Every structure is written in C-alpha cells, then in structure tokens.
Amino acid sequence: MAESLVSALDEYEQAALSAIAESASTDDLEAVRIEYLGKKKGRLRDLQSLVGKASPEERPVFGKRFNDVKSKVTAALESRLESLAQPAEVLSAVDITLPGNDVKLGRKHPLTQTAQEFKDIMGRFGFTVVDGPEVEDEHHNFVALNIPPEHPARDPLDNFYLATAEHNFAGESGPVLLRSQTSTVQIRVMEQTQPPIRIVSLGRVYRPDTIDATHSCMFHQMEGLMVGDGVTMAQLKTVLHLFAKAYLGHEVEIRFRPSFFPFTEPSVEVDMYWDGTWMEIGGAGMVDPNVLTAVGYAPDKVTGFAFGLGVERFCMKRHEINDIRRFYENDVRFLQQF
Ligand code: DAH
C-alpha cells in the first residue's frame, strides 16, 4: 500500500507536468486542470482519498508528499496559463488597440502601369518583350532602317546628338544620339535572331520638340515586329485591333491611312476610334525589303510587319488626361490617382 501510493503520486506528478507543458491553448490547459486538479472527480481527489486511508504513522509522510506534488502541479499550471494568455512578449510593450500611423504606400507610375499592361496583352498574343539601349548609333537609329543621310529625320536639330563618341555600341567609331524611335530595336533583334520573330519593345525616345500639352522631348513608344513566312498586312491590322480592344475594353476600331516611313513599304498611319473620336496612335507597315537585306534576311523568303505606338496617348485617352506634362512633373496629387 505504502509503495503503491508513493509511485502513484510520482506517476501523477510526471503525467500532470507533461500534460501542462504540452497544452497549446488556454482551453487545452483548462481540460488538463479539470483532469488533474479538479475538485469533484479529478485524479488528485482519488489520491487524496488514498492518503486518507494510510495508517496513522504513515499519514504525515504521505500527506507532506501529497501537498508537495499538489503545489508543484498547481504552480506549473499557473505559470503555463500566464504564458499562454500572453503569447508574445512584445504585446505587453505595444498597445495594439491604439490606432496606427497612416502608412502612405507608393504605387507604380501610370506610364509604368500602362507599359506593364501592354506587355501582358502582347505577351498573350505570343510576342516576347525585348529591350534596347537608349543611346544609339546612327546605324541602328537610321542607316539599317533605310533612312538615308540626307533624310530630314537625321537633322541635328531634330535629334539629341551626343558628342561624337570614340566608340559606339557596334564597336565602330561614329556619332551617337539619344534614340529618336524604338524602331532601333527591330534592327538589334533581327541582327541577332533568325525568323520567325515576334517581339515588342517598350521604352523612352527623345526628340527636341517644343514642350506643350501634347509634346514632350522624351516620351514612350511600343515597337512591334513580326517576321516570318507569309506574314501579312491583314495580320498587322488584326493584331493592332485586338491590342486596342484588350487595352480599352470597348468597341474600338482601327483605321489605316496611307503614309510613308523609310523602313516600311507600304506604310500606314494608324488611327483608333474610341469614345466618339478618331485619334492617331502610331505608324506601321510591312518591313521594307531594304531593311530585311540590311540585317541579312532574304526579302524573297520572309515578310514582316512592324508598328510603333505612342504609350502616353493610350494612357491619356483611357484616363482622360489632357496634358502630357502631368506624367513627368512628379506631382503626387496627380500620381496617386492611378
Ligand atoms: N518609328 C516611327 C516613329 O517614331 C513609328 C513607326 C512607324 C514604327 C512605322 C514602325 C513602323 O515600326 O513600321 O515615328
């Protein structure tokens, strides 16, 4: 009897302490308390009645052991309760019920958002996004694009020529300039890749225009190029139509007007009808055989179309922005509306 009471107390103590340590919530802990310390029918009560049955000589010894175990388990339970009720120490230092400071989150510039959306749309049509340098040589900005030396587009007054550099990107010496169009990227891609090609390139272009509500000396274009076996102008129109619809989500129409660009033949100006008006969105056409030859393609084997669209225009149209200068002023009141 004496032996078994001692081991029952030991066993009880061990079981209770580990149950307390393992309980993961105050609810768990309450269940443990009822089982081990409950007054009505807990395990401790059973032990207590055993102590009561011990002989008068043994009773004080068992009684003391009983009381020790009880207070040890009770203390463990209380300290566990304290830590469960207050999980993280920081919480006692920070009053989480106080209102926080107003955190001002930044956001992407509207043109960055527009460019991202353009890339997403064109990506769904199977066009890969490529980049090109903003400082260009004459070969990529003009020569390979079939723009002859006497062409007005090469006029120093219409371009940001930089001081004649010792080296340009092709490793040859010659003048460099801030690119005046993203069509340069067509050449860079075709020089390095064989058809079929389907790419778009978005980025800044620079022209010394007088700045007003619709002109800026720096703006953004999206260039597109598709070259392959039997690529047609009908496909060009379809791609532009689907693109415009995907971006504006309305009954958009696309119209071609005959035009001229040295690097396309035939060439067109592209207009878009949206919200009751026609507006010009860029230029396009079938890649000129001279351009295909300049990059080493066989113009009798492959054809291609190309287009260049103004990014600002689309964004302005969609958000009813009436002055292109707003994009570049960094006025937070403007920017935070997008
Ligand atoms: N690069 C022309 C410009 O900046 C736009 C353009 C026209 C791009 C026709 C093209 C194209 O790819 O085929 O005015």
Side-chain angles (χ1 to χ4, degrees):
M1 157 77 188
E3 282 295 297
S4 68
L5 181 54
V6 170
S7 65
L9 279 166
D10 286 351
E11 203 183 293
Y12 165 84
E13 179 184 322
Q14 254 185 13
L17 291 180
S18 66
I20 289 167
E22 279 161 23
S23 55
S25 66
T26 51
D27 285 352
D28 280 2
L29 196 62
E30 177 60 7
V32 170
R33 187 192 67 76
I34 291 167
E35 180 176 351
Y36 288 90
L37 295 170
K39 297 233 160 50
K40 288 203 182 112
K41 56 185 179 79
R43 291 206 207 176
L44 195 67
R45 217 190 93 104
D46 300 343
L47 290 169
Q48 191 169 17
S49 63
L50 284 180
V51 173
K53 284 181 194 143
S55 67
E57 307 86 70
E58 286 172 332
R59 206 174 295 151
V61 181
F62 292 143
K64 182 170 179 329
R65 174 76 183 126
F66 175 87
N67 286 332
D68 285 353
V69 169
K70 182 181 174 182
S71 52
K72 204 166 166 188
V73 170
T74 308
L77 188 115
E78 275 164 10
S79 106
R80 183 74 187 141
L81 181 65
E82 207 169 297
S83 63
L84 283 177
Q86 210 174 55
E89 235 165 58
V90 282
L91 290 187
S92 57
V94 176
D95 184 349
I96 56 165
T97 63
L98 286 174
N101 288 334
D102 194 10
V103 178
K104 290 223 162 44
L105 285 183
R107 60 195 74 199
K108 287 190 177 142
H109 190 279
L111 288 176
T112 308
Q113 293 181 28
T114 308
Q116 188 54 55
E117 218 173 308
F118 280 19
K119 291 175 193 173
D120 289 347
I121 295 169
M122 294 308 294
R124 295 205 291 274
F125 299 158
F127 285 72
T128 305
V129 179
V130 296
D131 272 331
E134 289 177 22
V135 179
E136 266 293 6
D137 53 41
E138 290 187 301
H139 177 75
H140 292 93
N141 203 89
F142 302 122
V143 180
L145 286 164
N146 200 32
I147 303 174
E150 66 282 0
H151 195 282
R154 293 176 76 150
D155 193 319
L157 292 177
D158 286 331
N159 291 284
F160 286 110
Y161 278 94
L162 306 175
T164 304
E166 292 279 274
H167 304 286
N168 64 17
F169 289 92
E172 307 148 7
S173 58
V176 289
L177 71 159
L178 294 178
R179 69 178 176 190
S180 60
Q181 50 186 351
T182 45
S183 303
T184 52
V185 186
Q186 292 184 31
I187 304 301
R188 290 195 172 270
V189 168
M190 288 192 284
E191 277 173 346
Q192 289 174 20
T193 332
Q194 285 304 309
I197 286 175
R198 248 193 242 200
I199 58 100
V200 286
S201 187
L202 287 92
R204 299 187 185 98
V205 298
Y206 302 84
R207 292 178 198 175
D209 282 336
T210 305
I211 297 168
D212 62 21
T214 53
H215 294 87
S216 163
C217 55
M218 184 281 295
F219 57 99
H220 296 72
Q221 289 185 331
M222 175 169 76
E223 193 77 15
L225 175 71
M226 176 162 162
V227 184
D229 200 4
V231 172
T232 68
M233 203 147 182
Q235 291 170 340
L236 165 64
K237 200 165 188 179
T238 302
V239 166
L240 290 174
H241 190 199
L242 290 173
F243 167 76
K245 266 170 99 159
Y247 180 68
L248 291 168
H250 279 244
E251 277 314 304
V252 186
E253 283 185 52
I254 289 290
R255 165 173 93 180
F256 282 174
R257 278 179 295 116
S259 183
F260 175 80
F261 296 101
F263 36 92
T264 42
E265 183 60 38
S267 305
V268 292
E269 303 280 346
V270 185
D271 296 340
M272 178 176 79
Y273 186 80
W274 188 66
D275 208 14
T277 45
W278 284 101
M279 72 168 203
E280 193 183 317
I281 56 171
M286 299 304 291
V287 181
D288 193 289
N290 287 347
V291 174
L292 295 173
T293 309
V295 296
Y297 288 1
D300 53 339
K301 296 239 163 58
V302 289
T303 53
F305 67 67
F307 59 85
L309 309 179
V311 176
E312 277 82 349
R313 292 214 158 172
F314 275 88
C315 184
M316 288 170 78
K317 189 76 185 169
R318 171 144 132 193
H319 297 292
E320 296 180 14
I321 297 163
N322 57 11
D323 194 324
I324 197 171
R325 289 169 290 198
R326 297 285 100 82
F327 288 128
Y328 318 118
E329 289 166 344
N330 287 333
D331 184 334
V332 183
R333 292 167 305 175
F334 170 76
L335 295 175
Q336 70 191 1
Q337 296 176 59
F338 303 93

